[in-house]
Amino acid sequence: MSAATTVVLAGVHGHGQWHLRNVERMPDVELVGICDPRPPEVDLGVPVEPELPALLEKTRPDVTIVCTPIHTHSALALTAARAGSHVLLEKPPMPTLAEFDELVASLATTDRACQIGFQSLGSHALSRARALLADGAIGELRGVGAAGAWQRDAGYYGRARWAGRRTLDGVAVVDGALTNPFAHAIANALAIDGVSADEVPRELSVELYRANPIEADDTSCLRLVTARGTPITVAVTLCADREVEPYLVIHGSRGRIVLEYRENRVRLETPDRVEITEHATTDLLANLVAHTRRGEPLLVPPEAARPFMRILEAVRLAPDPREVPCSYDSSRGLRVIPGVSEAVVWSGDSLTLLSEMDVPWLK
């Protein structure tokens, strides 16, 4: 029996807890170290170091998971790869397209694999939706709309210095609703149309809004037209008056496909057929291990994330978010934009930008 794949986790708090649980449940993966300036609250029985080079020297892991603030990703991922470790790099991978391209070029010189952490791209529901589209189940593709509405209170933005920031200490961060919590919506929409790494959209427009006292967007939308002429819209908010789990609507000439990527669920709707299917997902760490051991193709190699990075770059370069009116629940530190959930749902259904709707908070 082969030895377990050894893993170091950089960033144990926040979403790092998900990675910690994920490693613990995998029988062929062994956690051998944690890198974090703030040690975990419980003793995990492995070395803990505030700096990654020291931990890598001590543990020599097969894989390093980088789940740290966005603007620290590049240096940590490259440090791990140069030390001989494969890398699972959380999304969004970089705060700028130039940094992303520089990292990809540098990683190529290390002969180490890098998987980008768009976990939803490992969902078999996405594969099912693409297969239905390719088989002509809804006729000709007319467009893809994505929508999502969550609530995030003041604590969400107070959890770290970089949260809700466009820049920090002069360095790009780009931690907005589109680029971080709803990044999967963009990545899935691009994957549906098969957008390639070097493809330049025919059109791309971004609208950023905020109700919270932050730099970045908490409510936003975009519309792009891909090289194949497919319109894609994404409208999202963290100031929901009604929470709506994010989803995609794939519009066709003879019906539509609804992809609920967090639930791994696909709903096919045509005049003579309604079918709901639920699907498994391939874990990205497991896929990375299989790639390093048996040569299985990576599900999300860096080139698969470059179309998303082009969108992130447009968000980074867009004007600062426009402040919009909201109601404020002081007991929860929560700002809510009335009617915003209905608006983002309508965007997905109609492929319409928020500015093109008759919404009171944009007047």
Side-chain angles (χ1 to χ4, degrees):
M1 185 175 180
S2 58
T5 296
T6 56
V7 172
V8 154
L9 173 59
V12 73
H13 302 285
H15 188 59
Q17 287 291 301
W18 183 91
H19 284 288
L20 183 61
R21 293 191 297 271
N22 194 44
V23 169
E24 289 174 342
R25 72 173 181 80
M26 298 177 67
D28 57 346
V29 172
E30 178 187 1
L31 182 72
V32 295
I34 289 193
C35 175
D36 202 298
R38 181 162 58 98
E41 296 177 357
V42 297
D43 183 1
L44 298 172
V46 298
V48 178
E49 294 283 352
E51 301 293 337
L52 187 58
L55 184 62
L56 295 172
E57 178 67 26
K58 183 180 295 185
T59 59
R60 299 292 181 183
D62 298 314
V63 173
T64 299
I65 301 172
V66 178
C67 185
T68 58
I70 303 163
H71 58 293
T72 67
H73 282 182
S74 181
L76 293 176
L78 193 54
T79 295
R82 285 174 172 166
S85 176
H86 303 289
V87 179
L88 174 58
L89 179 60
E90 254 304 334
K91 61 81 190 163
M94 293 289 130
T96 75
L97 180 59
E99 287 180 76
F100 179 78
D101 286 342
E102 290 172 7
L103 175 66
V104 173
S106 296
L107 286 172
T109 69
T110 67
D111 195 34
R112 297 292 88 184
C114 180
Q115 179 102 282
I116 308 298
F118 282 103
Q119 182 59 52
S120 65
L121 295 184
S123 173
H124 302 181
L126 174 61
S127 301
R128 171 63 174 168
R130 295 184 67 176
L132 287 170
L133 183 61
D135 290 343
I138 58 171
E140 180 184 351
L141 178 62
R142 296 289 174 82
V144 181
W150 284 337
Q151 292 182 338
R152 294 294 182 266
D153 61 18
Y156 176 80
Y157 297 107
R159 73 191 191 280
R161 288 185 66 226
W162 57 270
R165 300 292 295 268
R166 303 194 80 187
T167 62
L168 180 64
D169 300 329
V171 176
V173 176
V174 202
D175 179 44
L178 277 173
T179 55
N180 196 357
F182 291 107
H184 291 288
I186 297 174
N188 276 270
L190 295 168
I192 286 294
D193 199 54
V195 178
S196 64
D198 296 324
E199 183 175 315
V200 178
R202 295 185 189 177
E203 302 173 21
L204 176 56
S205 57
V206 175
E207 297 179 358
L208 306 180
Y209 307 99
R210 66 170 181 83
N212 285 276
I214 58 174
E215 281 186 354
D217 55 296
D218 55 36
T219 301
S220 41
C221 67
L222 66 85
R223 180 163 58 206
L224 66 94
V225 179
T226 70
R228 275 164 295 286
T230 305
I232 294 176
T233 63
V234 181
V236 297
T237 184
L238 298 174
C239 304
D241 52 351
R242 172 178 61 89
E243 289 210 317
V244 178
E245 282 297 300
Y247 65 94
L248 271 63
V249 183
I250 305 163
H251 300 270
S253 57
R254 297 197 306 272
R256 70 180 200 166
I257 300 165
V258 178
L259 169 61
E260 299 172 89
Y261 59 82
R262 283 172 58 86
E263 289 79 21
N264 298 304
R265 185 180 301 123
V266 175
R267 179 182 177 92
L268 171 65
E269 302 174 357
T270 68
D272 56 358
R273 180 182 177 191
V274 175
E275 175 186 288
I276 300 174
T277 53
E278 296 188 357
H279 302 267
T281 187
T282 298
D283 181 84
L284 295 188
L285 178 57
N287 173 245
L288 177 58
V289 170
H291 172 77
T292 61
R293 290 191 167 200
R294 300 185 295 277
E296 290 189 16
L298 287 176
L299 287 172
V300 197
E303 58 266 27
R306 196 171 190 274
F308 168 82
M309 285 302 306
R310 192 178 292 277
I311 305 303
L312 183 146
E313 185 75 355
V315 173
R316 183 179 75 86
L317 297 175
D320 289 342
R322 170 184 167 184
E323 187 175 1
V324 296
C326 64
S327 61
Y328 181 60
D329 183 342
S330 59
S331 65
R332 294 190 292 166
L334 183 68
R335 284 173 165 81
V336 173
I337 301 174
V340 70
S341 299
E342 181 181 0
V344 300
V345 167
W346 176 246
S347 173
D349 285 342
S350 62
L351 304 178
T352 304
L353 291 172
L354 294 175
S355 63
E356 296 169 339
M357 302 179 196
D358 183 21
V359 290
W361 44 274
L362 287 182
K363 293 181 179 179

PDB file of all heavy atoms in Angstrom, residues 316-334:
ATOM      1  N   ARG A 316     -11.594  45.057 -11.148  1.00  0.00           N
ATOM      2  CA  ARG A 316     -10.529  45.835 -10.509  1.00  0.00           C
ATOM      3  C   ARG A 316     -10.389  47.220 -11.129  1.00  0.00           C
ATOM      4  O   ARG A 316     -10.155  48.215 -10.429  1.00  0.00           O
ATOM      5  CB  ARG A 316      -9.200  45.082 -10.624  1.00  0.00           C
ATOM      6  CG  ARG A 316      -8.039  45.780  -9.930  1.00  0.00           C
ATOM      7  CD  ARG A 316      -6.758  44.973 -10.050  1.00  0.00           C
ATOM      8  NE  ARG A 316      -6.164  45.056 -11.369  1.00  0.00           N
ATOM      9  CZ  ARG A 316      -5.331  46.026 -11.765  1.00  0.00           C
ATOM     10  NH1 ARG A 316      -5.017  47.006 -10.935  1.00  0.00           N
ATOM     11  NH2 ARG A 316      -4.813  46.013 -12.983  1.00  0.00           N
ATOM     12  N   LEU A 317     -10.535  47.280 -12.441  1.00  0.00           N
ATOM     13  CA  LEU A 317     -10.326  48.539 -13.153  1.00  0.00           C
ATOM     14  C   LEU A 317     -11.585  49.393 -13.252  1.00  0.00           C
ATOM     15  O   LEU A 317     -11.523  50.534 -13.722  1.00  0.00           O
ATOM     16  CB  LEU A 317      -9.790  48.251 -14.562  1.00  0.00           C
ATOM     17  CG  LEU A 317      -8.421  47.553 -14.617  1.00  0.00           C
ATOM     18  CD1 LEU A 317      -8.058  47.224 -16.057  1.00  0.00           C
ATOM     19  CD2 LEU A 317      -7.350  48.410 -13.967  1.00  0.00           C
ATOM     20  N   ALA A 318     -12.730  48.846 -12.822  1.00  0.00           N
ATOM     21  CA  ALA A 318     -13.988  49.590 -12.887  1.00  0.00           C
ATOM     22  C   ALA A 318     -13.987  50.732 -11.867  1.00  0.00           C
ATOM     23  O   ALA A 318     -13.250  50.699 -10.878  1.00  0.00           O
ATOM     24  CB  ALA A 318     -15.161  48.651 -12.620  1.00  0.00           C
ATOM     25  N   PRO A 319     -14.806  51.762 -12.097  1.00  0.00           N
ATOM     26  CA  PRO A 319     -14.925  52.845 -11.107  1.00  0.00           C
ATOM     27  C   PRO A 319     -15.360  52.299  -9.750  1.00  0.00           C
ATOM     28  O   PRO A 319     -15.959  51.220  -9.653  1.00  0.00           O
ATOM     29  CB  PRO A 319     -16.006  53.752 -11.712  1.00  0.00           C
ATOM     30  CG  PRO A 319     -15.985  53.454 -13.172  1.00  0.00           C
ATOM     31  CD  PRO A 319     -15.632  52.004 -13.295  1.00  0.00           C
ATOM     32  N   ASP A 320     -15.056  53.043  -8.699  1.00  0.00           N
ATOM     33  CA  ASP A 320     -15.453  52.637  -7.357  1.00  0.00           C
ATOM     34  C   ASP A 320     -16.954  52.417  -7.291  1.00  0.00           C
ATOM     35  O   ASP A 320     -17.725  53.078  -7.999  1.00  0.00           O
ATOM     36  CB  ASP A 320     -15.056  53.695  -6.332  1.00  0.00           C
ATOM     37  CG  ASP A 320     -13.548  53.741  -6.110  1.00  0.00           C
ATOM     38  OD1 ASP A 320     -12.873  52.758  -6.470  1.00  0.00           O
ATOM     39  OD2 ASP A 320     -13.063  54.755  -5.577  1.00  0.00           O
ATOM     40  N   PRO A 321     -17.396  51.485  -6.444  1.00  0.00           N
ATOM     41  CA  PRO A 321     -18.836  51.196  -6.354  1.00  0.00           C
ATOM     42  C   PRO A 321     -19.664  52.436  -6.002  1.00  0.00           C
ATOM     43  O   PRO A 321     -19.239  53.274  -5.200  1.00  0.00           O
ATOM     44  CB  PRO A 321     -18.917  50.146  -5.240  1.00  0.00           C
ATOM     45  CG  PRO A 321     -17.571  49.518  -5.208  1.00  0.00           C
ATOM     46  CD  PRO A 321     -16.608  50.597  -5.570  1.00  0.00           C
ATOM     47  N   ARG A 322     -20.829  52.500  -6.605  1.00  0.00           N
ATOM     48  CA  ARG A 322     -21.779  53.571  -6.295  1.00  0.00           C
ATOM     49  C   ARG A 322     -22.547  53.211  -5.036  1.00  0.00           C
ATOM     50  O   ARG A 322     -23.063  52.104  -4.902  1.00  0.00           O
ATOM     51  CB  ARG A 322     -22.750  53.741  -7.470  1.00  0.00           C
ATOM     52  CG  ARG A 322     -23.929  54.658  -7.199  1.00  0.00           C
ATOM     53  CD  ARG A 322     -24.858  54.671  -8.387  1.00  0.00           C
ATOM     54  NE  ARG A 322     -26.146  55.290  -8.055  1.00  0.00           N
ATOM     55  CZ  ARG A 322     -27.164  55.350  -8.903  1.00  0.00           C
ATOM     56  NH1 ARG A 322     -27.045  54.847 -10.130  1.00  0.00           N
ATOM     57  NH2 ARG A 322     -28.307  55.905  -8.524  1.00  0.00           N
ATOM     58  N   GLU A 323     -22.627  54.150  -4.092  1.00  0.00           N
ATOM     59  CA  GLU A 323     -23.378  53.910  -2.862  1.00  0.00           C
ATOM     60  C   GLU A 323     -24.872  53.956  -3.150  1.00  0.00           C
ATOM     61  O   GLU A 323     -25.348  54.853  -3.857  1.00  0.00           O
ATOM     62  CB  GLU A 323     -23.021  54.942  -1.804  1.00  0.00           C
ATOM     63  CG  GLU A 323     -23.645  54.665  -0.446  1.00  0.00           C
ATOM     64  CD  GLU A 323     -23.184  55.624   0.633  1.00  0.00           C
ATOM     65  OE1 GLU A 323     -22.374  56.530   0.322  1.00  0.00           O
ATOM     66  OE2 GLU A 323     -23.608  55.452   1.789  1.00  0.00           O
ATOM     67  N   VAL A 324     -25.615  52.986  -2.610  1.00  0.00           N
ATOM     68  CA  VAL A 324     -27.059  52.920  -2.823  1.00  0.00           C
ATOM     69  C   VAL A 324     -27.772  52.892  -1.477  1.00  0.00           C
ATOM     70  O   VAL A 324     -27.205  52.453  -0.470  1.00  0.00           O
ATOM     71  CB  VAL A 324     -27.451  51.672  -3.654  1.00  0.00           C
ATOM     72  CG1 VAL A 324     -26.867  51.752  -5.054  1.00  0.00           C
ATOM     73  CG2 VAL A 324     -26.992  50.383  -2.968  1.00  0.00           C
ATOM     74  N   PRO A 325     -29.014  53.361  -1.428  1.00  0.00           N
ATOM     75  CA  PRO A 325     -29.752  53.389  -0.154  1.00  0.00           C
ATOM     76  C   PRO A 325     -30.125  51.994   0.310  1.00  0.00           C
ATOM     77  O   PRO A 325     -30.288  51.071  -0.495  1.00  0.00           O
ATOM     78  CB  PRO A 325     -30.995  54.218  -0.494  1.00  0.00           C
ATOM     79  CG  PRO A 325     -31.153  54.105  -1.970  1.00  0.00           C
ATOM     80  CD  PRO A 325     -29.772  53.974  -2.534  1.00  0.00           C
ATOM     81  N   CYS A 326     -30.272  51.853   1.609  1.00  0.00           N
ATOM     82  CA  CYS A 326     -30.606  50.561   2.187  1.00  0.00           C
ATOM     83  C   CYS A 326     -31.305  50.778   3.513  1.00  0.00           C
ATOM     84  O   CYS A 326     -31.347  51.886   4.047  1.00  0.00           O
ATOM     85  CB  CYS A 326     -29.344  49.726   2.399  1.00  0.00           C
ATOM     86  SG  CYS A 326     -28.197  50.454   3.605  1.00  0.00           S
ATOM     87  N   SER A 327     -31.846  49.702   4.056  1.00  0.00           N
ATOM     88  CA  SER A 327     -32.347  49.714   5.431  1.00  0.00           C
ATOM     89  C   SER A 327     -31.282  49.086   6.309  1.00  0.00           C
ATOM     90  O   SER A 327     -30.454  48.306   5.831  1.00  0.00           O
ATOM     91  CB  SER A 327     -33.658  48.936   5.542  1.00  0.00           C
ATOM     92  OG  SER A 327     -33.475  47.578   5.182  1.00  0.00           O
ATOM     93  N   TYR A 328     -31.280  49.436   7.591  1.00  0.00           N
ATOM     94  CA  TYR A 328     -30.215  48.966   8.479  1.00  0.00           C
ATOM     95  C   TYR A 328     -30.813  48.318   9.708  1.00  0.00           C
ATOM     96  O   TYR A 328     -31.621  48.919  10.426  1.00  0.00           O
ATOM     97  CB  TYR A 328     -29.305  50.132   8.878  1.00  0.00           C
ATOM     98  CG  TYR A 328     -28.170  49.725   9.782  1.00  0.00           C
ATOM     99  CD1 TYR A 328     -27.230  48.781   9.366  1.00  0.00           C
ATOM    100  CD2 TYR A 328     -28.025  50.278  11.046  1.00  0.00           C
ATOM    101  CE1 TYR A 328     -26.179  48.404  10.182  1.00  0.00           C
ATOM    102  CE2 TYR A 328     -26.961  49.913  11.879  1.00  0.00           C
ATOM    103  CZ  TYR A 328     -26.053  48.976  11.437  1.00  0.00           C
ATOM    104  OH  TYR A 328     -25.012  48.600  12.246  1.00  0.00           O
ATOM    105  N   ASP A 329     -30.435  47.065   9.946  1.00  0.00           N
ATOM    106  CA  ASP A 329     -30.846  46.322  11.138  1.00  0.00           C
ATOM    107  C   ASP A 329     -29.698  46.404  12.136  1.00  0.00           C
ATOM    108  O   ASP A 329     -28.714  45.670  12.035  1.00  0.00           O
ATOM    109  CB  ASP A 329     -31.148  44.869  10.763  1.00  0.00           C
ATOM    110  CG  ASP A 329     -31.658  44.049  11.942  1.00  0.00           C
ATOM    111  OD1 ASP A 329     -31.457  44.477  13.093  1.00  0.00           O
ATOM    112  OD2 ASP A 329     -32.234  42.972  11.711  1.00  0.00           O
ATOM    113  N   SER A 330     -29.799  47.327  13.090  1.00  0.00           N
ATOM    114  CA  SER A 330     -28.695  47.569  14.025  1.00  0.00           C
ATOM    115  C   SER A 330     -28.443  46.378  14.941  1.00  0.00           C
ATOM    116  O   SER A 330     -27.321  46.162  15.400  1.00  0.00           O
ATOM    117  CB  SER A 330     -28.973  48.822  14.857  1.00  0.00           C
ATOM    118  OG  SER A 330     -30.187  48.686  15.586  1.00  0.00           O
ATOM    119  N   SER A 331     -29.473  45.584  15.218  1.00  0.00           N
ATOM    120  CA  SER A 331     -29.300  44.436  16.113  1.00  0.00           C
ATOM    121  C   SER A 331     -28.392  43.377  15.491  1.00  0.00           C
ATOM    122  O   SER A 331     -27.719  42.625  16.189  1.00  0.00           O
ATOM    123  CB  SER A 331     -30.659  43.819  16.453  1.00  0.00           C
ATOM    124  OG  SER A 331     -31.268  43.265  15.301  1.00  0.00           O
ATOM    125  N   ARG A 332     -28.365  43.330  14.164  1.00  0.00           N
ATOM    126  CA  ARG A 332     -27.532  42.345  13.474  1.00  0.00           C
ATOM    127  C   ARG A 332     -26.376  42.978  12.705  1.00  0.00           C
ATOM    128  O   ARG A 332     -25.567  42.262  12.110  1.00  0.00           O
ATOM    129  CB  ARG A 332     -28.392  41.510  12.505  1.00  0.00           C
ATOM    130  CG  ARG A 332     -29.429  40.636  13.185  1.00  0.00           C
ATOM    131  CD  ARG A 332     -30.053  39.678  12.184  1.00  0.00           C
ATOM    132  NE  ARG A 332     -30.873  40.385  11.201  1.00  0.00           N
ATOM    133  CZ  ARG A 332     -31.307  39.827  10.071  1.00  0.00           C
ATOM    134  NH1 ARG A 332     -30.954  38.586   9.770  1.00  0.00           N
ATOM    135  NH2 ARG A 332     -32.059  40.518   9.240  1.00  0.00           N
ATOM    136  N   GLY A 333     -26.318  44.299  12.692  1.00  0.00           N
ATOM    137  CA  GLY A 333     -25.288  44.971  11.909  1.00  0.00           C
ATOM    138  C   GLY A 333     -25.423  44.646  10.434  1.00  0.00           C
ATOM    139  O   GLY A 333     -24.432  44.474   9.725  1.00  0.00           O
ATOM    140  N   LEU A 334     -26.678  44.597   9.958  1.00  0.00           N
ATOM    141  CA  LEU A 334     -26.965  44.104   8.616  1.00  0.00           C
ATOM    142  C   LEU A 334     -27.629  45.187   7.772  1.00  0.00           C
ATOM    143  O   LEU A 334     -28.622  45.784   8.181  1.00  0.00           O
ATOM    144  CB  LEU A 334     -27.886  42.882   8.702  1.00  0.00           C
ATOM    145  CG  LEU A 334     -28.237  42.177   7.401  1.00  0.00           C
ATOM    146  CD1 LEU A 334     -27.004  41.501   6.813  1.00  0.00           C
ATOM    147  CD2 LEU A 334     -29.338  41.147   7.642  1.00  0.00           C
TER     148      LEU A 334
END
